[in-house]
Amino acid sequence: MYAIEARFNAVFGEYNPFYHLGDLGFFFFFIMFFSGVYLFLYYEPTVRGSYNQLQYLTRDQWYLGGIMRSLHRYAADAMVVVMALHMLRELVTGRFRGGRWFSWITGVPVLATVYLTGIVGFWMVWDKLGQFIAVRTSEWLDWLPVFASPMARNFLTNTGVTDPLFRLLMIMHIGLPLFLFIFLMLHIKRISRARILPPRALMLGTLSALVLLALVQPTVSQHRANLSVAPNILHLDWFYMFFYPLMQSWSMGAVWAALAAVTALLLVLPWLPGATVEPAAIVNLDYCSGCGLCADDCPYEAIAMQARSDGHPLFLQEASIITDNCVRCGICTGACPSSNPFRRIASEPLHRARALKSGIEMPNHNVEMLRRQVERSLAGDGKAGRILLVGCEHSADIETHAAADVALLRIPCIGMLPPAFIEHALRQGAAGVLLAGCRKGDCYHRFGDAWLRLRLNNERRPMLRRSVDRSRIGFCWASPADQQHLYSALESLYHSLHGRSDNGR
Ligand code: HEM
Ligand code: SF4
Ligand code: SF4
């Protein structure tokens, strides 16, 4: 997957569609909405009118109505494609467990509603494909013992199909997208600053591609539905109808069983054993001033600012963790001004711990541990002058780069590193610090790389002090498949620190 994405990176750069699958999904939804409003103005919900009106748009009004129809269809197909890729991507990268369970679970009704809306849409055209869908779907529904008389009986003859059916289909085709929108809003509820629109260049490029497709290959209806003749050649829309052929070769009960099994699997997936569960972030009230920086930087709405509970005379607010939302990224530690190794612990009041503590930290990666690790790796005989390589758990593997002149520090996300720790490492004797995070635009925890860059550029608090020599800091934005990039970044920092002539490595 990383290899495929790397090829797209080479062509699209920061507009790589793989990094925008969710926002592209929203974009296609909006295209469907606007083109759908236009189609609605012409659609006639009757047995003959439905087919006639769509034919009119395609043939007589091809320059606008036809394009709108094609945009509606192709955006619907594209939505299925980006949704499937988005889902697959979250699955293979493990971004569906822990605090992300909510987005995963709310994705399931999104998936179901997209399919229901699409299938009803194809039915409404009332061509041979609509006929096929009507017959197969009703036979499939009839397998469930819910209808008093079999639904499929309505599709035995042309006279069985009446206008009210098309009014019902139209109401469903308008109502289901409303539910879809509600599910989508729920889907991103626990995601801070969720992107619902792709970058402008990607939107323009995508829309242009759809319009071009609409002109080159306009959407057309198949022959008018006629229930006295069974359709023998069909052009299925495989994005929506891939499971219809199964109804031909399997029993209807088996198709229901497969659907129930897939749904059940999707619904339990986030809780299946497999991933180690780290404890969530914790707040140390003694060190929290209520500044709100952590809440602003948290990518998963897991920090709420609330009224002070300890009656502090100066500070009015405190951070509080919503444990269920927390994905254990540690970005909040990187945001907290008290995650500062230069704080004078010795002069702290006695009731405070004599270890370095931050207002907010990860129990298994607290700032005292970080400080000790940095100091241990740089203090002692022959350790001064090393490069400190700080890597996140999801980027290129730093372990393979251990060497006499390279000290390693692995943290959950590169955004967890408080800027003051970089200065600390340099003062402790590091020749330079190399920061390794995920590929640009693809941070595993959404904002880790972006927040770090802004903090080091003095555009976001907490900032790296201006006096720190930036030329001693290197960056590497790479995936686990880009081991070579990390090697090159290390080489390049090494040479810029020691001069090209030094070939001791
Ligand atoms: C067309 C339908 C869908 C749309 C438009 C959509 C949209 C989105 C958006 C905008 C985000 C936030 C991305 C960000 O800003 O970082 C997101 C996250 C997510 N989606 Fe979807 N989604 C759809 C379907 C699904 C489905 C079917 C599933 C799985 C069943 C799913 C699972 C997830 C998960 C697990 C996340 C959290 C990812 C993370 O935290 O890194 N989505 N989705
Ligand atoms: S570790 Fe911190 S920043 Fe990350 S999700 Fe939890 S509370 Fe938010
Ligand atoms: S960043 Fe630190 S000091 Fe500020 S509110 Fe969060 S925990 Fe408190």
Side-chain angles (χ1 to χ4, degrees):
M1 192 189 73
Y2 285 125
I4 295 171
E5 289 181 3
R7 286 175 196 276
F8 276 77
N9 266 335
V11 180
F12 290 93
E14 60 184 297
Y15 304 121
N16 186 341
F18 279 98
Y19 302 159
H20 294 278
L21 293 169
D23 27 327
L24 277 171
F26 267 93
F27 182 53
F28 292 129
F29 179 84
F30 296 135
I31 295 181
M32 277 189 282
F33 176 78
F34 288 112
S35 54
V37 168
Y38 189 86
L39 297 183
F40 174 71
L41 297 176
Y42 289 87
Y43 185 75
E44 194 185 305
T46 59
V47 180
R48 294 201 68 75
S50 52
Y51 187 83
N52 290 347
Q53 285 301 91
L54 290 173
Q55 285 294 78
Y56 163 77
L57 287 178
T58 303
R59 287 190 184 157
D60 302 323
Q61 216 200 85
W62 62 268
Y63 49 86
L64 185 58
I67 291 180
M68 287 294 183
R69 184 182 176 192
S70 301
L71 279 183
H72 198 68
R73 162 75 79 83
Y74 291 139
D77 286 341
M79 190 172 187
V80 168
V81 175
V82 294
M83 182 172 68
L85 289 173
H86 167 63
M87 203 174 147
L88 188 72
R89 203 166 185 274
E90 305 306 342
L91 189 70
V92 296
T93 54
R95 279 185 260 208
F96 61 97
R97 295 178 189 276
R100 288 157 163 121
W101 73 267
F102 186 80
S103 292
W104 180 265
I105 292 297
T106 50
V108 177
V110 166
L111 179 72
T113 324
V114 166
Y115 269 87
L116 277 175
T117 313
I119 285 164
V120 170
F122 282 107
W123 194 330
M124 284 167 69
V125 180
W126 206 229
D127 58 357
K128 286 282 174 197
L129 193 59
Q131 173 183 340
F132 170 77
I133 287 181
V135 174
R136 277 278 169 274
T137 311
S138 52
E139 284 170 357
W140 187 47
L141 290 175
D142 282 341
W143 188 87
L144 294 176
V146 282
F147 300 107
S149 64
M151 239 183 108
R153 216 181 268 168
N154 297 320
F155 301 104
L156 289 178
T157 60
N158 286 322
T159 47
V161 180
T162 55
D163 293 347
L165 171 71
F166 286 86
R167 283 200 283 279
L168 177 69
L169 290 177
M170 196 177 77
I171 291 168
M172 284 173 73
H173 199 61
I174 294 171
L176 283 168
L178 285 179
F179 280 101
L180 175 57
F181 190 67
I182 293 169
F183 290 140
L184 280 174
M185 287 326 227
L186 211 57
H187 185 62
I188 54 169
K189 188 173 173 290
R190 290 193 177 182
I191 294 187
S192 327
R193 300 180 167 85
R195 279 186 316 234
I196 60 166
L197 279 184
R200 192 174 299 174
L202 189 56
M203 276 197 287
L204 283 175
T206 310
L207 186 60
S208 313
L210 288 187
V211 173
L212 193 69
L213 193 60
L215 289 169
V216 175
Q217 187 77 43
T219 300
V220 290
S221 306
Q222 301 185 26
H223 291 298
R224 190 189 288 277
N226 179 0
L227 289 164
S228 49
V229 183
N232 50 4
I233 297 177
L234 278 171
H235 303 285
L236 293 188
D237 182 300
W238 286 97
F239 299 108
Y240 281 87
M241 297 165 198
F242 66 91
F243 54 92
Y244 274 78
L246 286 184
M247 296 183 191
Q248 197 98 6
S249 41
W250 291 7
S251 73
M252 291 300 183
V255 179
W256 274 114
L259 179 67
V262 171
T263 311
L265 181 66
L266 288 177
L267 291 176
V268 298
L269 219 52
W271 295 279
L272 288 184
T276 45
V277 182
E278 291 263 332
I282 51 163
V283 172
N284 297 315
L285 206 47
D286 276 353
Y287 302 86
C288 171
S289 65
C291 67
L293 292 183
C294 54
D296 206 33
D297 280 6
C298 171
Y300 290 94
E301 302 278 353
I303 304 171
M305 296 308 297
Q306 60 183 34
R308 201 81 195 179
S309 60
D310 61 354
H312 196 285
L314 292 176
F315 306 137
L316 299 177
Q317 290 206 302
E318 68 186 39
S320 153
I321 306 290
I322 305 164
T323 311
D324 194 36
N325 289 17
C326 177
V327 302
R328 285 74 168 152
C329 62
I331 289 178
C332 45
T333 302
C336 184
S338 58
S339 307
N340 190 332
F342 297 115
R343 245 190 30 228
R344 293 176 57 211
I345 300 165
S347 63
E348 301 253 298
L350 273 179
H351 73 275
R352 291 191 169 191
R354 288 302 174 97
L356 181 65
K357 284 215 165 217
S358 172
I360 192 161
E361 47 189 359
M362 311 307 297
N364 287 354
H365 299 272
N366 63 40
V367 283
E368 175 66 13
M369 289 174 183
L370 280 190
R371 183 173 67 100
R372 285 213 198 128
Q373 256 177 291
V374 170
E375 289 173 4
R376 216 178 295 134
S377 61
L378 296 168
D381 286 349
K383 289 185 175 173
R386 296 173 115 192
I387 289 178
L388 178 66
L389 170 54
V390 187
C392 103
E393 283 170 3
H394 304 278
S395 68
D397 182 10
I398 62 169
E399 307 295 337
T400 53
H401 297 276
D405 47 8
V406 181
L408 305 181
L409 178 62
R410 200 164 179 80
I411 50 180
C413 173
I414 200 67
M416 178 183 165
L417 189 71
F421 270 78
I422 299 175
E423 183 177 356
H424 182 58
L426 294 174
R427 286 215 212 163
Q428 287 290 311
V433 177
L434 181 63
L435 304 167
C438 305
R439 281 178 183 165
K440 261 190 189 169
D442 188 31
C443 171
Y444 192 85
H445 295 298
R446 302 184 64 238
F447 300 134
D449 65 326
W451 291 166
L452 182 72
R453 274 195 299 271
L454 290 173
R455 289 170 193 159
L456 301 198
N457 285 344
N458 295 71
E459 292 170 55
R460 196 173 184 89
R461 288 195 296 156
M463 299 173 188
L464 180 65
R465 290 206 302 183
R466 287 187 192 278
S467 55
V468 177
D469 181 0
R470 275 20 185 209
S471 70
R472 291 169 70 190
I473 305 172
F475 299 95
C476 175
W477 308 114
S479 80
D482 306 324
Q483 225 38 55
Q484 186 58 35
H485 285 26
L486 185 51
Y487 184 76
S488 309
L490 205 48
E491 282 281 302
S492 143
L493 180 63
Y494 186 88
H495 288 306
S496 82
L497 292 171
H498 300 286
R500 285 236 153 244
S501 57
D502 185 342
N503 52 10
R505 275 169 68 80

